[in-house]
Amino acid sequence: MTRYEKVAAVLRERIEHGIYRPGDRLPSIRAVCQEMEVSISTAQEAYRQLMDATLIESRPKSGYFVLPGRAPSVLPSISRPAQRPLDISQWDQVLELVATQRDDNRLLLGRGVPNLEYASLKPLSKILGGLHRSADLHGFNYDKLSGSPELRQQVAKLAVASGCLLHPDDILITTGCQEALSIALRLLTQPGDVVAVDSPSFYGTMQILKASGLKALEIPTDPQTGISLEALELALEQWPIRAIQVTPTFNNPLGYTMPPARKRALVQLAQRFDVAIIEDDIYGDLSFTQPRPPTIKSFDDDGRVLLCSGFSKTLGPGLRVGWMAPGRYRDQALHMKYVSTGASATLPQRAVAEFVAKGHYERHLRVAIRQYQRQRDVMIGWVQRYFPEGTGISYPQGSFLLWVELPAAVDCVRLNERLARHNVHVAPGSLFSASGKFRQCLRLNYAFTLTPAIETAVRTVGELAGEMVGESRASLV
Amino acid sequence: MTRYEKVAAVLRERIEHGIYRPGDRLPSIRAVCQEMEVSISTAQEAYRQLMDATLIESRPKSGYFVLPGRAPSVLPSISRPAQRPLDISQWDQVLELVATQRDDNRLLLGRGVPNLEYASLKPLSKILGGLHRSADLHGFNYDKLSGSPELRQQVAKLAVASGCLLHPDDILITTGCQEALSIALRLLTQPGDVVAVDSPSFYGTMQILKASGLKALEIPTDPQTGISLEALELALEQWPIRAIQVTPTFNNPLGYTMPPARKRALVQLAQRFDVAIIEDDIYGDLSFTQPRPPTIKSFDDDGRVLLCSGFSKTLGPGLRVGWMAPGRYRDQALHMKYVSTGASATLPQRAVAEFVAKGHYERHLRVAIRQYQRQRDVMIGWVQRYFPEGTGISYPQGSFLLWVELPAAVDCVRLNERLARHNVHVAPGSLFSASGKFRQCLRLNYAFTLTPAIETAVRTVGELAGEMVGESRASLV
Ligand SMILES: Cc1ncc(COP(=O)(O)O)c(C=O)c1O
Ligand SMILES: Cc1ncc(COP(=O)(O)O)c(C=O)c1O
């Protein structure tokens, strides 16, 4: 981080923690210089950054003021899923989404891919290119089954920021985070078992449940604090739950981050009922505030948390470099890894290790995070402008996915059909539920460089959704 | 193929089919020139190649003669596995083998890795380097779930040589052949199901059975013609077999290739009992004779064969590029693929596609095949020289793995313990059996460039094995 970014981060944190509240006047430039021992230009640059992020504004002759937070006014409602274990369906819809990742001339507003155009990613191309060109015998050979020692070491170092003290041997490199999740679920369960999940929930995990013949018990989930511990406790009493699967940090799709105290309480609950927790942290490094939020794993004192993550959302999913820290299940995880794909591809692991070791990863994160934070606000602005009244919007503090809850009259699967004519596609909310809930919701990606073409597409989504609202009113008359 | 290689291939085939038998005099150079319409130097070069392969010898003033085939005199005996479904164990031994693939200073004589040092592999490094360096947005993005269209097209083209007419859409790219096998087994079975396997059988597949809670029914397998169709038929009548899993071409570890007629008969048997066949063809392209043997899949007229293969044994396992042709199970296979690892890594697929499309694959195969064939004979010579009397040796017509059956007194797991002091390691036969059979067998790799150090290692293996035979005799006295 540069000096001014550090200053901005400190101020941002104070705003986010309510130390400076909306409408408050911020300390003067001079006061900041004194407090933080920086130059005037550094303090000015920090304030400029906070203005870019629309967190504060400058009022001529009066100073800098905290802007009203957008989040609370527009959040979607708490989920009320079916209260019994369900089989998973929705594969057709998931397939439609994932099968169109490439060579599709539609604008895929809903996809889960980071921005791959930032120059800060260039060194990775270079490193990869160099490694592959000079491939010696080792480069084409199998790597270690648990993954390249170099990469595991870097992952262990990175995990410190999330509160985890991991030894490289606690880590297993996987073929993307998907394989980590798949391994975790397979080693914990037998067909017919029940897994408690947050709701909505990442469709990739849901499909693992389907493939393994598992049942999902969707737990009501608060759009600000995550899975309801109260509902989960009741469920644990009532059902033979084998594992709890959650994405507690920058949740996909809801965007919330569970507060640290609730993460800790979740571990305690799991201990009381002796269940394992599968924690998906794939977006955790994309935090708009520093330090990044702690993982559930950081509160795990008896190895029951299987932490799953990877570099798909920070560097690029086409690399297929993921990892897991399976805690007390390491031996079973290693066996599942062998069975699933054998050792992971050799050179991509080394390239990522080098990219991280040389500081490129941190630099790239800074670039991406700053852009995503700005773009979140731009995208929210568009949704507020173009979507029908009564639309709820999430307010993520990291990552690049927005959850939008439209009026009940809107069915986003049907909306997608209408959008096809305009070459636009969103991720319908029903993808994220075993019971096909959330049909009036959709996921938007704001990692794109937000061009006028994207604004037009978002506007089209809003307008067609508005039409659906209108039609439903008309049919009621 | 060059002209002389074509001539040599024709002659070799006639020898292998017994048209010219051991001791027979071959046609003169001139006769060959006339028959095949080639020049004298071409015919001479062809004969030289056959001499290099120790298939024929030249006797001064008399001409060229077929050498006695080595194979029949030294083949290991037919397997007699337990005749009931078994749970799999041996994970510890497998782990020991696979965990030592890298950074081990022992000489791993038993590993399953091809030679990665041939210059004909260089263009792949170049292509990979170029692609990664110039990575555009697509390179780091998810690829299509079923795999890169370019690669699927090349795979479809290659499959023609094995008698398969596949459409690129019939093919699914996987993360190594291991993932293909894993997907195939998972989509066909439920925990507790019985799978018929050849015996000995590749340990990677056995471990999939273990992880999925499946039982292996090991079918007696002939070291020359493969799985016994008669025994299989009895088993199909007796047990509820859900799938038949075989490696019928250049079998790992036994080395045999099922004759085409038996491959066809296997399909008919599967049809009669309505079972699926999982065919592992990962060594199929490494055939010492041309054309390469047909796959079982080539006889499949109702889509019940799931063909699994990949580039790990031809180009390098560290790439993790495999593929499958799942026949009528395509939809389920695609779902399992998504669940298992999502889309496969993007750029390695494109690199392999380009390598094949530009003819480098064929060129590289020619180089590797010629070396492997020579090295097979060298390795067989060493085993004959250094191993105890009564040792059986396979005689593979492709690939790079030799199966050695020692006198019953030798236990290769214990042999490995003694070899540790000499920094040498073999693959013990018990890895390849659910019932822990084949303890007196071991697998050797002859893909290495065969240096004096390797000869010394092989000799050490033979001598220590000989000691074990001696000890057992002594204990009987
Ligand atoms: C929450 C979550 N977990 C896991 C994944 C899969 O990641 P990978 O591409 O590394 O397999 C995704 C990607 O969409 C995701 O959103
Ligand atoms: C018969 C057989 N099938 C499959 C595999 C696994 O291949 P891959 O490394 O492509 O997963 C091997 C490797 O040892 C093998 O011998």
Side-chain angles (χ1 to χ4, degrees), chain A residues 102 140 143 318 320 335 341, chain B residues 102 140 143 207 318 320 341:
Chain A
R102 196 183 138 191
F140 285 160
D143 206 329
R320 309 312 295 129
H335 185 245
T341 57
Chain B
R102 197 184 135 190
F140 284 159
D143 207 329
Q207 294 301 320
R320 309 310 296 130
T341 57

Side-chain angles (χ1 to χ4, degrees), chain A residues 142 341, chain B residues 112 175-179 181 202-203 247 252 280 282-283 312-313 317 320 443:
Chain A
Y142 287 112
T341 57
Chain B
T175 308
C177 182
Q178 182 70 19
E179 189 180 38
L181 294 166
F202 170 53
Y203 46 80
T247 307
N252 171 14
D280 185 341
I282 194 156
Y283 298 101
S312 293
K313 307 301 175 177
R320 309 310 296 130
R443 188 181 75 175

Side-chain angles (χ1 to χ4, degrees), chain A residues 101 112-113 175-181 202-205 245 247 250-253 280-283 308-313 317-318 320-322 401 443, chain B residues 142 338 341-342:
Chain A
Q101 301 273 19
V113 181
T175 308
C177 183
Q178 183 70 22
E179 189 180 38
L181 293 166
F202 169 52
Y203 46 80
T205 312
Q245 201 284 321
T247 307
F250 317 131
N251 176 268
N252 171 14
D280 185 341
D281 186 55
I282 193 155
Y283 297 102
C308 301
S309 190
F311 295 91
S312 294
K313 307 301 175 176
R320 309 312 295 129
V321 179
L401 298 170
R443 188 182 76 175
Chain B
Y142 287 112
Y338 174 65
T341 57

